[in-house]
Amino acid sequence: MKNIVSMRWLLARMYEPDVVIADCRFLLGQPEAGRQAYEAGHIPGAVYLDLEKDLSSPVSAHGGRHPLPDPAVLASRLSKAGIGSNSRIVAYDDQGGMNASRLWWLLRYIGHEQVYIMDEGFSAWQNAKFPVTVDEPVQIPSSFEVNVQPAMLASVDDVQQASASDSAVLIDSRDARRYAGLEEPIDAKAGHIPGAVNYFWKDVLDWDGRWTDTGVLEERFSKLDKDGAIIVYCGSGVSACPNVIALEEAGFSNVKLYSGSWSDWISYEGNPVATGNSEADKDV
């Protein structure tokens, strides 16, 4: 798997000068918990990047709950954290890779290829008795050049077109109950974008919380056309990112992220909402 590295891989390379480790732990509804967890112990040399302060821009009328950061602002933040254009970045969290995947996607979106996710997460690292510290690294600013990849991003117009005309497969990455509209703990409306199919993002992981191998991922997405257009979304554009990575690992070449996702979709009054588990149930 080209985007996922093992804990032992990182253990062997963590002190190499071009490696930057990024701690992306974050809990929705507890915005300080990730930073507190980092301060209580992290992988030596890791810098902390906050999902809402560093990896999102402020919430506004549209754009969802975690709007994409401005590329120049993000690049400035990365530079201050010592992440440069020649860095190899390894991201981790303790949320199944969800937040680390957001950093992976953002870096790829602004043109940085050398970014990886550490499999399993911080608790597994700690349980393996690998080194942990409370010391925060001295962050020496680095130079980061932005080269935005607009083809990675789907707009609300793209999604409206895909929903109306099947111009792309829409993948909803939330759990089945939220997709079906049976419950909605976060957003103002329940349901999904009409025409979307449900692939819960946590299904990219096995029972032990490890990323499944390429063959399993290919089987998971076997009903989809590898060359066809795919747009992935979730609640706010974060948990969709593991599915984007999994699709890339499985050989799909035309995958976009709808970054605003469900929370952006429902911010437009005229956008239709579907409920239920099949197209026959959808309420347009």
Side-chain angles (χ1 to χ4, degrees):
M1 306 228 349
K2 61 182 181 293
N3 296 301
I4 314 299
V5 297
S6 69
M7 294 190 298
R8 290 192 175 278
W9 185 97
L10 180 58
L11 183 68
R13 294 166 177 82
M14 57 191 293
Y15 296 114
E16 292 179 5
D18 64 330
V19 169
V20 180
I21 304 169
D23 186 319
C24 299
R25 284 177 286 175
F26 188 88
L27 293 177
L28 285 176
Q30 299 178 51
E32 298 306 316
R35 161 59 79 171
Q36 290 164 358
Y38 171 80
E39 290 173 352
H42 51 266
I43 296 176
V47 296
Y48 183 69
L49 293 174
D50 186 285
L51 172 65
E52 294 186 343
K53 294 174 183 171
D54 301 319
L55 306 182
S56 306
S57 62
V59 174
S60 57
H62 301 297
R65 283 182 282 108
H66 293 113
L68 285 190
D70 176 87
V73 173
L74 176 62
S76 173
R77 174 68 188 95
L78 296 172
S79 296
K80 287 174 184 168
I83 297 173
S85 295
N86 297 317
S87 300
R88 280 184 294 164
I89 299 114
V90 182
Y92 71 88
D93 58 35
D94 230 356
Q95 288 74 42
M98 177 178 77
N99 302 315
S101 296
R102 165 76 163 206
L103 177 60
W104 176 93
W105 190 91
L106 285 171
L107 282 162
R108 293 283 297 270
Y109 176 63
I110 61 174
H112 193 88
E113 293 283 328
Q114 295 230 72
V115 54
Y116 310 93
I117 292 165
M118 186 188 81
D119 206 0
E120 301 182 74
F122 181 75
S123 289
W125 175 278
Q126 204 168 26
N127 293 339
K129 303 291 192 285
F130 290 168
V132 170
T133 186
V134 296
D135 296 336
E136 297 195 22
V138 175
Q139 297 177 20
I140 301 168
S142 192
S143 173
F144 192 100
E145 292 182 18
V146 172
N147 181 20
V148 174
Q149 307 294 309
M152 290 179 59
L153 191 62
S155 67
V156 67
D157 292 339
D158 296 330
V159 177
Q160 287 167 338
Q161 186 177 348
S163 177
S165 69
D166 297 327
S167 55
V169 173
L170 291 171
I171 289 180
D172 187 312
S173 305
R174 298 170 302 161
D175 69 70
R177 292 184 63 80
R178 287 182 72 194
Y179 167 82
L182 297 173
E183 61 183 48
E184 182 46 68
I186 306 171
D187 293 311
K189 292 180 184 177
H192 59 267
I193 299 171
V197 292
N198 186 215
Y199 285 86
F200 183 32
W201 75 270
K202 281 190 178 176
D203 291 341
V204 306
L205 307 173
D206 67 16
W207 290 105
D208 295 324
R210 294 186 180 94
W211 285 70
T212 55
D213 63 34
T214 301
V216 175
L217 294 174
E218 286 178 347
E219 178 62 29
R220 180 176 184 242
F221 298 117
S222 60
K223 293 180 180 176
L224 305 175
D225 177 4
K226 279 196 172 177
D227 298 318
I230 296 174
I231 298 172
V232 188
Y233 76 93
C234 56
S236 68
V238 178
S239 65
C241 294
N243 264 341
V244 173
I245 294 172
L247 285 159
E248 180 174 308
E249 292 284 356
F252 289 80
S253 58
N254 186 4
V255 181
K256 297 177 189 285
L257 174 71
Y258 173 29
S259 62
S261 287
W262 180 247
S263 51
D264 177 64
W265 180 261
I266 60 173
S267 71
Y268 295 92
E269 195 61 44
N271 279 343
V273 168
T275 55
N277 281 318
S278 72
E279 284 306 283
D281 297 325
K282 80 180 183 183
D283 174 21
V284 185

